[in-house]
């Protein structure tokens, strides 16, 4: 877009501009130039002038928990208002390779990665070379070889791998602890110690809670809180909704007490009752389902939509393709008590909205990744496409929070959570002059998720425009086919 006399590429004119940090909530024009917000005011004009009266104009959403790397999935996230999607819980190792690959492919939205404890452990304990992808983890998810207790030399080796990733700008350390229940609590504390030394957060998928597995080596929640207290690390507790299930109040109570005592612990949740992971996960073994109050029929095999009928069928599916995705009924969205719990995980002070967005899985040979709209043979968890719009609907349109409060959970608070280690995030999550032009424009009366468990790739409704670094990736509600303005987000190593 050609700059005009006033130097601006674009003006979004007459929208309701909301910036939770400054408290601004007023009709304003927003001028964008060179990938930044150049001015916020009234009477601003440029040749690239778009009328957004009646629409909300605010900072794009920052998703701290996205496993998506395919173009189709990233587009679904963009259509849900996401302008930055970070792979922090699983992480990827080596991170330098992941950043390189993403840059080569080009992405519509900003990206970034934590180091992966699980991949580092697979290498150190089981001799499996890491390849910087979630696929490498999924393929080995059920392999007991990487889940066993580690020898001291193996712990040293995995810590060295993680340290090397941190030196490359990894955003922290992702710890899929719940997938390797044989890991010693001491190893986890060492990982937290490394994070504390490097001044970066950890992002943990908690170990089993003691209510579920009385013989667990440590209570999953107590262990996170202990790591924060003993090492001083910033511990981020991933998806408290799904790993806590009906123990959400106990877990959040524990977190609140630790926070009050001075520990840096943060939380996130996604607004769905069901989870999704690889069917080969240790906690989905037929003999272990009862721990979570589940049975085989609580599982839907995503590639075919099959409800798993029996323990024998579950064994068969786990054997055939352990990394195949499965939807797991954890909380019942139609049960008022469960819904209340889910809402508490989202409204907990400081809890951020994070999607746990999943890669697309296919019921037929995958289509060309550039194909849009997605064919019906592409399937995912509805959280991939709908988390942020659904949060706005449940928390604000139908719920207790103001629009600014919900928006803070989607953009400002995720930016603040990481910005000490990632100075670039000081320029995101804000709609103010000088900030990155990562902007979402939406209709506050119409915004809603449309993806469901049956139709998991329906894009959200009500999102009008999405800009990433000043370039449209969504315009007039539709995907801009060639747009790849996403840039890397990296930590600045100490
Ligand atoms: Zn997880």
């Amino acid at each position: 877009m050609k700059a005009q006399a006033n130097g601006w590429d674009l003006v979004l004119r007459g929208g309701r501009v909301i910036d939770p940090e400054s408290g601004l909530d007023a009709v304003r024009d927003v001028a964008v130039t060179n990938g930044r917000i150049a001015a916020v005011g009234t009477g601003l004009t440029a040749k690239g002038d778009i009328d957004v009266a009646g629409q909300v104009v605010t900072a794009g959403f920052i998703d701290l928990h996205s496993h998506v790397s395919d173009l189709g999935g990233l587009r679904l996230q963009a259509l849900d208002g996401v302008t930055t999607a970070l792979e922090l819980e699983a992480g990827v190792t080596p991170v330098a390779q992941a950043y390189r690959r993403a840059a080569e492919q080009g992405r519509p939205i900003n990206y970034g990665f934590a180091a992966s404890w699980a991949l580092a452990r697979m290498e150190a304990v089981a001799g499996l070379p890491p390849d910087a992808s979630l696929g490498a983890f999924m393929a080995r998810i059920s392999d007991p070889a990487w889940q066993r207790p580690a020898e001291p030399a193996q712990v040293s080796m995995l810590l060295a791998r993680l340290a090397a990733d941190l030196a490359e700008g990894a955003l922290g350390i992702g710890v899929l602890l719940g997938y390797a229940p044989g890991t010693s609590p001491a190893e986890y504390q060492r990982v937290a110690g490394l994070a504390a030394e490097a001044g970066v957060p950890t992002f943990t998928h908690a170990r089993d809670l003691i209510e579920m597995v009385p013989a667990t080596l440590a209570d999953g929640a107590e262990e996170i809180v202990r790591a924060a207290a003993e090492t001083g690390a910033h511990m981020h507790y991933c998806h408290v909704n799904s790993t806590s299930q009906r123990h959400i109040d106990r877990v959040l109570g524990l977190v609140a007490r630790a926070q009050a005592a001075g520990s840096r612990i943060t939380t996130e949740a996604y607004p769905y009752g069901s989870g999704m992971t690889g069917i080969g996960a240790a906690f989905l073994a037929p003999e272990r389902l009862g721990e979570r109050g589940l049975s085989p029929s609580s599982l839907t095999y995503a590639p075919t939509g099959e409800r798993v009928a029996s323990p024998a069928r579950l064994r068969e599916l786990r054997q055939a393709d352990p990394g195949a995705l499965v939807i797991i009924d954890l909380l019942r969205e139609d049960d008022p008590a469960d819904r209340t719990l889910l809402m508490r995980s989202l409204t907990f002070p400081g809890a951020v909205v994070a999607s746990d967005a999943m890669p697309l899985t296919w019921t037929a040979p995958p289509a060309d990744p550039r194909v849009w709209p997605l064919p019906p043979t592409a399937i995912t968890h509805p959280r991939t496409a709908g988390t942020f719009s659904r949060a706005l609907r449940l928390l604000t349109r139908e719920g207790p929070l103001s629009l600014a409060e919900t928006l803070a959970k989607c953009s400002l608070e995720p930016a603040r959570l990481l910005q000490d280690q990632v100075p670039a995030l000081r320029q995101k999550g804000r709609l103010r002059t000088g900030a990155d032009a990562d902007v979402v424009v939406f209709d506050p009366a119409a915004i809603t998720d449309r993806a469901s468990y049956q139709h998991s790739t329906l894009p959200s409704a009500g999102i009008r425009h999405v800009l990433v670094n000043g370039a449209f990736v969504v315009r007039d509600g539709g995907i801009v086919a060639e747009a790849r303005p996403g840039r890397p987000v990296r930590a600045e190593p100490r």
Side-chain angles (χ1 to χ4, degrees), residues 65 89 176 179 205 239 356:
H65 192 147
E89 179 224 30
L176 290 171
Y179 290 86
H205 178 124
H239 48 43
D356 201 356

Side-chain angles (χ1 to χ4, degrees), residues 65 67 89 176 179 204-206 238-239 242-243 276-277 356 383:
H65 192 147
H67 301 300
E89 179 224 30
L176 290 171
Y179 290 86
T204 302
H205 178 124
C238 293
H239 48 43
S242 64
T243 41
M276 182 184 240
T277 191
D356 201 356
R383 68 195 184 200

Side-chain angles (χ1 to χ4, degrees), residues 340-432:
T340 301
L341 283 176
L342 187 58
M343 287 295 279
R344 273 212 279 277
S345 70
L346 290 156
T347 55
F348 183 69
V352 303
V353 175
S355 71
D356 201 356
M358 296 301 282
L360 299 177
T361 192
W362 296 84
T363 61
D368 182 312
R370 289 163 300 180
V371 167
W372 192 264
L374 288 171
T377 48
I379 287 176
T380 181
H381 188 292
R383 68 195 184 200
T384 307
T387 286
F388 291 87
S389 301
R390 185 176 173 91
L392 283 162
R393 174 167 69 80
L394 295 180
L395 295 177
T396 294
R397 285 185 57 198
E398 303 169 4
L401 302 189
S402 72
L403 188 48
E405 285 170 329
T406 302
L407 291 174
K409 285 178 175 289
C410 299
S411 53
L412 177 64
E413 289 174 19
R416 282 185 170 160
L417 198 146
L418 276 176
Q419 69 189 15
D420 291 348
Q421 300 77 27
V422 191
L425 285 176
R426 293 181 189 279
Q427 305 308 329
K428 298 191 184 295
R430 284 89 171 172
L431 199 301
R432 56 155 167 72

Side-chain angles (χ1 to χ4, degrees), residues 177 184-185 188-189 207 218-228 235:
L177 187 59
S184 80
Y188 182 63
Q189 299 294 320
R207 197 196 291 268
D219 172 63
E222 292 276 0
E223 183 173 37
I224 291 174
V225 165
R226 190 187 135 204
M235 305 299 289

